[in-house]
Amino acid sequence: MNVSAESFTNPFHICNICQKVIMKKEKGVRVPRPFSSGPSAFIPEEEVVEASQVDPQTEQILAEAYSLSGHVDHLTQVMGLHPHYLESFLRSQFYLLRMDGPLPLHCRHYIAIMAAARHQCSFLVSLHVREFYRMGMCLEWLKGLQYAPQRLRNLNEINKILAHRPWLITKEHIQNLVKTGEHSWSLAELVHAVVILAHFHSLASFVFGSGINPQVDTQNANGFQSVYISDYCTCDLASDHHLERDLSSTSPGTTDSVSELEALMDRMKRLQEEREEHEASQEEMATRFEKEKKESLLVGSEDMKDEMVPTSKVSRFVEDATFGYQHFARHGEDNPPTFRAQDYSWEDHGFSLVNRLYSDIGLLLDDKFRTACDLTYYNMASHEDVDTTMLRRALFNYVHCMYGIRYDDYDYGEVNQLLERSLKVYIKTVTCYPERTTRRMYDSYWCQFRHSEKVHVNLLLMEARMQAELLYTLRAITRYMT
C-alpha cells in the first residue's frame, strides 16, 4: 500500500524517517501495518534459522511437549537461539500452567491474559484466549475484566503495581487478598497467581524486546495487523534527536561499531585489573548505587511523556490503563526505597518461601534464573575465548537497580563503564514500558554483535525483571506472615 503525504490532511502527517502515518493530536488511533515475515520483526528470518543451535526435530519435540501452542511458534523459534535456556523456560511455564497446582487451569490462563494486557501484548493475550476457547469454559470472561469473577478482579491492583511499580507492594495488599471472606485467596493460590503475573509481565518484555511477530491469523486475509499511533512516531520513541547524538558518542573515542566493540573489550579488561588492584569500600559502592539508581530514573524519561491509552480488544482486560512506570519520574516522586538484597534475597529467602507454598515451582524458577545468568558461549561478536561474566552481571544488576534493588558486593560504577546510553535506553524501555520498544532502539546498540547475543540480553532482562517482581511480593508475603 503506497501512502503519500498528499493523501492526508490535518491532523495527520507522515514520519520522515519510517513513512508511517502519524496523528498529531488524538491518541490510540489504529492503522493497518503489513506483517513482516519470519518470527521476528528485528531479526532476519534466515538468521534465526541459521543461528539456531537446536535441530528442528528436537525443537518440535520440545514444543509439542511443553509449548502452549503445541507447535514451534515464533516465540519458541527466537528463544530457540539458546536451546538450553529454552528447555528450562518451557518446563517452568508448562508446570505453571498445566501441572497440578493451587489454581484451576482456566483461572491460570485468565491471570496470564490480565498480566500480558498490562503491556498491550496482543501476542500473549491471543495465545491464552485460544487456550480458553480450547477448554470451552467461562467464555463470558473473555468479554472483559468486568465479566470475570470478583475474586479474579481483585487481583487487578496487585497486577498493575507489580507490572509498573513493584516497590509499592506492601503486606496490606497481601492482607486485602487473603482476608476471610467470600472472595478471599489462600496464600498458596496467591503465590501461584503472583508467579503467573510476574512470568507474563516479564515475558511481554521479551516479546516486544525481540520483535516477536504475531502468528499469522488465517482469518485475517489482508495480512495486516493493527498498531497504535500517537502524536509521535514509534520509530522516534527513544527521542532520537537525543539518541542519535548519544549514539555518536556512546564510547569516548570511538567512531564506528568495530571500535565501539574494541573499546568495550578494553573497558572490561581494565575493570578486571582495577578489581584486582583496588577494592571499593562499602561507602563508595553505596554512593555509586544511589547515583546509578537516580540516573536510571532519568534515562528515557523525557522521551515517554505521552501516555499511550490502549483502544484495542486487549484493553478490555485492563483497568486504570494510564497507571505506569513513567509517572514515577514524571511527577517527581521520591526514589524507590533501596531494597538491600542482603536483607531479602531470592537464594536465601524467596526461593524457600515460594517452594513451600507452591511445591517445586521454586526449583524450576531457580533453574531458569541460573540458566539465563550463567549462559555463555565464551565469545563477544567476533571475539572468542571471552569471559562475559562481568557484562552479564552488569545487565542483570542494572535492571534491579532501576527497581531499587542493591547488592552490597557489587560496584555499580561498572554499569556506567559497560552499558552505553543507547543500551540503557533500550533496557529501560524493554523492562519498564516494553510496548514502546522499536526496531530502531534494538538496532542502536552493539551493532557488531550477533542477533543471538541480543536475544541473550533480552533473556537476562526478562529474568531480572521477573525476579525483582517476585522479591518485592514475596517480601510482602513474609511480612504478612510474621
Side-chain angles (χ1 to χ4, degrees), residues 268-281:
M268 290 173 62
K269 182 179 179 181
R270 187 178 70 251
L271 284 170
Q272 185 60 46
E273 292 170 351
E274 290 174 359
R275 271 187 191 176
E276 296 168 358
E277 295 173 2
H278 170 71
E279 184 175 338
S281 67

Side-chain angles (χ1 to χ4, degrees), residues 278-293:
H278 170 71
E279 184 175 338
S281 67
Q282 283 296 314
E283 291 75 16
E284 286 177 308
M285 292 199 285
T287 299
R288 290 170 186 173
F289 168 79
E290 292 299 332
K291 181 175 181 289
E292 192 61 48
K293 182 177 73 169

Side-chain angles (χ1 to χ4, degrees), residues 14 56 79-80 85-86 116 128 151 250-251 278 285 299 358 376 411 423 440 447 482:
I14 304 294
M79 211 174 270
Y85 175 84
L86 173 65
H128 292 279
R151 190 161 175 268
T250 51
S251 303
H278 170 71
M285 292 199 285
V299 170
Y358 180 17
T376 183
D411 183 356
L423 176 52
R440 199 165 194 198
C447 299
T482 53

Side-chain angles (χ1 to χ4, degrees), residues 61-73 75-76 86 89-99 105 108-110 112-113 123-132 134-135 196 199-200 203 215:
I61 292 171
L62 277 174
E64 289 177 356
Y66 298 113
S67 176
L68 292 177
S69 61
H71 63 272
V72 184
D73 59 20
L75 179 61
T76 307
L86 173 65
F89 170 85
L90 289 176
R91 287 183 189 278
S92 174
Q93 181 173 261
F94 186 82
Y95 186 87
L96 195 60
L97 296 175
R98 295 282 179 84
M99 299 295 285
L105 296 184
R108 304 181 198 189
H109 290 289
Y110 200 80
I113 290 171
F123 178 92
L124 294 175
V125 170
S126 298
L127 184 64
H128 292 279
V129 166
R130 285 196 295 271
E131 281 295 300
F132 244 79
R134 186 185 64 80
M135 289 184 287
I196 293 173
H199 177 85
F200 285 99
L203 188 56
Q215 302 295 138

Side-chain angles (χ1 to χ4, degrees), residues 191-235:
V191 165
H192 193 172
V194 162
V195 175
I196 293 173
L197 291 173
H199 177 85
F200 285 99
H201 293 156
S202 57
L203 188 56
S205 287
F206 182 85
V207 168
F208 285 113
S210 302
I212 303 297
N213 274 327
Q215 302 295 138
V216 176
D217 186 350
T218 54
Q219 294 179 346
N220 189 6
N222 62 10
F224 284 86
Q225 59 177 314
S226 292
V227 297
Y228 304 102
I229 59 177
S230 185
D231 52 356
Y232 49 77
C233 181
T234 54
C235 79

